[in-house]
Amino acid sequence: MRYNQIATESHPLALRYPKHLQNINAIIVREGGMIQPFTNEVAINLDEAKRNSDNTDVKEMCSMDMLLEISNQNDTVLSLLVEFKLDCKNAQNISEKEYRKKIRHSKILLFGSGIPIHHKYVFIFNDNLLNLSRRIISQRLTNAFAEVLSIDEFKTNYF
Amino acid sequence: MTDIPKLRIRIKDFRAIKEADIILNGITVVAGINGCGKSSISKLLYRTVKTSIDFNKIVAKNLSIKLKDIRRYLDELSSEMYFLYRENIEFKEKTGKTEFDFRIGASRLFSFSDVDLKEQENKILSALDVFRIAFEELPQEFKKNERYKSRLYRLERFFKEEFFGIGIDDKVGDIPVILEKLKENIVKEFQDAYLNIENRPIEILDDIIDDYFTEDVEVDNFDIEELGALITDRAEKKLSNFLTINKVAYIDTPVIIGVENIGNTNIQHWEELDLLLKRKGENINKQSKISSILKDEIIEGESNYDSNNDTFVYKRKDEFSIDLLSCATGLKSFSLLQILYNNGFLDNKTLLILDEPEVHLHPEWIVQYARLVVLLHKEFKVNFLINSHNPDMVMAIKFIAKKELENDSVNFYYAKEAEKYSFDYINSHDDIEQIFGSFNSSLDRINEYGATEE
């Protein structure tokens, strides 16, 4: 499945909070990324949308960083949740609880959007910790639903 | 000069290894897929260090093999002499050697384990003189007796042909002459042995390496350095002594512990490990942190070698006692370390080579094993070469060592396929990212079967 810009732009959250629909490169920069391989692609900055919510319960939630829509040739559209871990210096600090919470809370946030969530959750790491993080996340989260990618791999796999 | 490694092994075109340059400065971990040559590195290092340490014993053993036929001759001769003495009471009384038994003497003379070769040479030459004198003292009428004559003729003829290649018509002389000539042969063999001990020729190692691997190998396609100096000095054709290592063990499986007749397996490093586990000795640091981790945290008891019954026994904290042979294999892995620790084998001059030590261990025990390795190096400076393809083992060593040790004492290597069935070994220092790149191919395989919903 590949990135679908139209579906992303027309996601209920994007329509309700258009200012949080942001350029993916800009989101990467804010997350500490050193490379920006995208051009005009946009995604919903879920973290910001959550922080600016009027609802205090939502504010305190611990969500994934970014949401974008992907689709296949049959026009099946799914929401892809992405978490940036570009500032992670030590793979030992990967916390199973934190990651599970992020996934759970993100699903609560997106409940009612009418768009199903993709069964893989993307965690983006820098190249120097990619393989170790992949192993640790895979072991700690048990199921193969967590996909650990570099920025470049993320672009190649989903765009 | 402080960056010169303690040990370094360089290998080129040896079995599956295309090129490897591995340094040992404490704990070295080599990772790679099955069949990439990890065990070949271990075996080359082990066999070289072991040969260097045991060099004099090996020379003595080789000498004993060379003198095997002479010993056989003396065994036969002593048997005959014993027979002649027993048959001839009058002669016994004449010589006063009523209790002398030649048969006992010969087997002792040619036992070369841990002996002073010069002393042994003198004993053998003296024994030959005793035989010669005893034979010369035999009464002439006795020698002419047909019954004994034929027996002695058989010996004389066979051994003349055996040692001097002389036929029936070429008379060298009788038994005293043969004995004198054998003395010359013995002196020459001992001289060669003394020269070998002095010069430590590397061909002795080459022969051992050649025998150790079951197929033809290029025995000189590797070198080992210690503190920057060549131990396998091929220009000088010499195998030097190691200064920093005086004990070595190669452990590729814990299942051999307690197995009877390990010698029948013909696997040399198993026999050698068996001897190390049965060695007598005591660790003066028996009440250390390591001892407590093993005894109280991990195996909750103590394993020992019971020399009276020639068995290994595991005694649990609640006094339950059982033959280690029938215990869980994981428990044997730790028992092995515990026994070597308790018998004083593990210290700063020990090199422990561990081949996939994680096999048979539960993931939690893999981490405990890694912890012990790091602590054994930290507390007692034991040197390690570890082969592994287990993510938990590699990760545990990395993170525990990072906390407990100085950075430069741990080195990670990974095998990278250079061409089909041929691997280069890359030093990634203390970084394990590349190693995990290879490990994670298993995750990709699992993912091929689809992700599951959280």
Side-chain angles (χ1 to χ4, degrees):
Chain A
M1 295 183 88
R2 300 279 157 183
Y3 174 68
N4 185 325
Q5 183 146 355
I6 295 167
T8 304
E9 286 169 348
S10 53
H11 187 275
L13 269 179
L15 296 174
R16 192 167 166 194
Y17 304 108
K19 68 170 181 177
H20 300 315
L21 190 67
Q22 296 169 0
N23 182 287
I24 295 178
N25 278 341
I27 297 176
I28 291 173
V29 170
R30 271 198 293 280
E31 293 292 340
M34 303 302 283
I35 57 163
Q36 293 86 42
F38 297 94
T39 50
N40 298 320
E41 295 91 340
V42 289
I44 298 160
N45 188 332
L46 199 58
D47 214 25
E48 237 172 59
K50 178 197 69 185
R51 273 203 305 274
N52 293 332
S53 167
D54 299 332
N55 186 330
T56 48
D57 287 342
V58 170
K59 266 182 197 289
E60 285 170 14
M61 285 180 122
C62 174
S63 72
M64 303 278 279
D65 290 326
M66 186 171 88
L67 171 74
L68 49 92
E69 300 301 295
I70 52 175
S71 59
N72 60 14
Q73 287 169 338
N74 303 326
D75 288 334
T76 305
V77 176
L78 296 172
S79 292
L80 179 70
L81 285 159
V82 180
E83 171 76 11
F84 291 98
K85 283 286 165 192
L86 298 166
D87 57 348
C88 183
K89 298 271 188 296
N90 189 343
Q92 276 176 295
N93 297 336
I94 292 170
S95 152
E96 176 191 343
K97 257 189 187 169
E98 181 202 331
Y99 284 29
R100 285 190 186 279
K101 204 164 149 189
K102 275 179 185 289
I103 291 168
R104 205 171 59 246
H105 286 188
S106 299
K107 285 164 88 172
I108 294 169
L109 273 175
L110 295 176
F111 183 74
S113 69
I115 304 165
I117 297 171
H118 185 44
H119 62 273
K120 281 189 178 177
Y121 301 85
V122 174
F123 293 84
I124 296 182
F125 281 80
N126 274 327
D127 287 353
N128 63 343
L129 276 183
L130 200 61
N131 288 312
L132 192 53
S133 310
R134 191 171 284 162
R135 172 62 64 167
I136 292 176
I137 287 178
S138 170
Q139 278 181 336
R140 294 197 180 162
L141 301 188
T142 321
N143 289 330
F145 61 82
E147 194 172 25
V148 176
L149 301 172
S150 67
I151 294 174
D152 283 336
E153 285 172 341
F154 172 56
K155 186 167 185 282
T156 309
N157 289 7
Y158 287 103
F159 289 81
Chain B
M1 296 290 273
T2 49
D3 57 345
I4 293 174
K6 190 184 234 184
L7 295 178
R8 180 177 201 161
I9 177 163
R10 291 185 227 246
I11 309 168
K12 203 169 163 52
D13 298 325
F14 188 91
R15 306 184 91 207
I17 304 158
K18 187 164 188 284
E19 192 149 13
D21 182 356
I22 312 264
I23 62 171
L24 286 94
N25 251 346
I27 301 171
T28 293
V29 180
V30 179
I33 62 167
N34 294 108
C36 69
K38 300 189 298 292
S39 297
S40 297
I41 298 173
S42 297
K43 285 176 179 169
L44 278 178
L45 182 65
Y46 172 71
R47 203 31 76 201
T48 306
V49 176
K50 183 76 180 157
T51 301
S52 175
I53 292 170
D54 289 346
F55 199 87
N56 293 4
K57 281 186 199 166
I58 292 165
V59 170
K61 192 180 163 197
N62 289 347
L63 175 63
S64 158
I65 293 166
K66 279 185 178 168
L67 297 178
K68 189 168 57 81
D69 287 341
I70 295 180
R71 182 195 155 170
R72 193 165 142 239
Y73 172 68
L74 288 187
D75 278 339
E76 284 296 318
L77 187 62
S78 64
S79 174
E80 288 299 331
M81 296 297 276
Y82 178 73
F83 173 77
L84 297 180
Y85 269 71
R86 203 183 53 198
E87 291 289 298
N88 192 335
I89 294 166
E90 196 183 317
F91 179 58
K92 265 201 298 192
E93 283 167 355
K94 188 180 164 191
T95 55
K97 292 173 182 166
T98 47
E99 298 302 322
F100 192 80
D101 186 346
F102 288 102
R103 291 180 303 175
I104 297 170
S107 60
R108 278 190 192 156
L109 287 173
F110 288 86
S111 165
F112 286 89
S113 58
D114 286 327
V115 293
D116 178 344
L117 280 188
K118 191 72 204 165
E119 190 185 328
Q120 206 65 10
E121 182 188 4
N122 290 336
K123 280 185 184 169
I124 292 173
L125 295 178
S126 306
L128 259 64
D129 285 338
V130 170
F131 277 118
R132 182 178 50 77
I133 294 163
F135 192 85
E136 282 167 356
E137 284 176 351
L138 279 174
Q140 280 306 314
E141 68 274 16
F142 190 78
K143 288 182 190 170
K144 284 175 188 160
N145 181 314
E146 281 306 314
R147 189 175 162 212
Y148 307 127
K149 204 174 143 185
S150 59
R151 291 179 74 117
L152 293 171
Y153 172 76
R154 180 182 73 97
L155 267 184
E156 246 177 56
R157 176 165 167 197
F158 179 76
F159 287 101
K160 266 184 209 167
E161 289 179 13
E162 188 76 9
F163 296 120
F164 312 111
I166 292 166
I168 187 165
D169 297 329
D170 304 299
K171 278 242 160 197
V172 167
D174 57 7
I175 283 172
V177 181
I178 294 176
L179 287 169
E180 276 307 305
K181 288 201 173 287
L182 284 183
K183 275 173 76 175
E184 288 170 23
N185 286 10
I186 289 166
V187 169
K188 189 188 166 298
E189 295 295 355
F190 270 90
Q191 286 302 329
D192 288 348
Y194 300 141
L195 275 174
N196 280 343
I197 285 171
E198 199 182 320
N199 298 330
R200 298 176 63 95
I202 202 160
E203 300 91 76
I204 289 181
L205 172 68
D206 291 344
D207 288 345
I208 286 171
I209 298 282
D210 198 37
D211 280 351
Y212 196 45
F213 291 93
T214 46
E215 80 286 3
D216 285 342
V217 288
E218 296 293 333
V219 293
D220 51 1
N221 280 10
F222 78 102
D223 271 313
I224 295 178
E225 285 177 16
E226 182 190 51
L227 302 172
L230 265 178
I231 296 295
T232 50
D233 192 338
R234 299 194 183 278
E236 294 291 320
K237 298 180 179 173
K238 184 178 177 178
L239 176 70
S240 296
N241 257 317
F242 285 90
L243 300 174
T244 59
I245 303 291
N246 62 14
K247 294 183 282 312
V248 64
Y250 175 40
I251 304 172
D252 62 350
T253 173
V255 298
I256 64 139
I257 194 167
V259 173
E260 280 181 28
N261 302 321
I262 206 87
N264 293 348
T265 61
N266 274 333
I267 299 176
Q268 219 176 332
H269 59 266
W270 287 359
E271 288 175 52
E272 287 156 353
L273 180 60
D274 188 54
L275 286 175
L276 295 179
L277 293 168
K278 290 174 178 172
R279 80 200 275 268
K280 287 195 175 86
E282 187 103 21
N283 191 339
I284 47 167
N285 298 302
K286 222 179 163 185
Q287 300 307 318
S288 72
K289 185 176 170 185
I290 290 163
S291 173
S292 158
I293 291 171
L294 272 164
K295 197 174 172 183
D296 303 325
E297 280 186 43
I298 306 175
I299 67 170
E300 299 189 4
E302 198 164 64
S303 295
N304 283 304
Y305 173 59
D306 173 2
S307 56
N308 294 329
N309 298 307
D310 193 23
T311 51
F312 290 91
V313 180
Y314 167 62
K315 194 173 176 187
R316 212 164 54 190
K317 274 201 287 197
D318 60 2
E319 298 295 310
F320 170 76
S321 206
I322 187 171
D323 188 334
L324 196 53
L325 189 66
S326 49
C327 287
T329 321
L331 193 132
K332 289 180 190 171
S333 292
F334 285 99
S335 295
L336 222 144
L337 279 188
Q338 191 180 42
I339 292 168
L340 291 178
Y341 179 80
N342 286 345
N343 73 18
F345 180 75
L346 302 177
D347 63 30
N348 63 342
K349 289 209 166 121
T350 306
L351 172 61
L352 212 48
I353 302 173
L354 307 172
D355 216 342
E356 296 169 13
E358 65 272 1
V359 179
H360 311 292
L361 297 179
H362 179 276
E364 191 190 336
W365 272 18
I366 291 178
V367 178
Q368 288 283 38
Y369 200 99
R371 185 178 165 213
L372 278 172
V373 165
V374 173
L375 289 177
L376 278 167
H377 179 64
K378 184 184 180 186
E379 307 284 335
F380 303 105
K381 299 281 173 236
V382 178
N383 305 280
F384 287 93
L385 173 67
I386 301 169
N387 287 335
S388 177
H389 40 50
N390 182 285
D392 287 332
M393 178 59 83
V394 172
M395 212 186 304
I397 290 177
K398 153 87 184 172
F399 292 132
I400 298 170
K402 191 176 171 189
K403 190 177 171 201
E404 300 279 357
L405 306 176
E406 295 160 21
N407 276 343
D408 61 350
S409 56
V410 181
N411 275 285
F412 289 93
Y413 289 82
Y414 64 96
K416 190 178 175 190
E417 195 165 30
E419 50 202 66
K420 191 77 178 161
Y421 309 125
S422 183
F423 296 81
D424 284 333
Y425 284 75
I426 316 289
N427 185 355
S428 60
H429 305 281
D430 64 344
D431 184 11
I432 56 174
E433 181 61 18
Q434 296 295 333
I435 296 174
F436 272 74
S438 158
F439 287 164
N440 287 349
S441 57
S442 65
L443 297 178
D444 298 337
R445 286 265 181 235
I446 294 170
N447 288 346
E448 281 174 17
Y449 294 90
T452 49
E453 190 78 45
E454 164 74 328

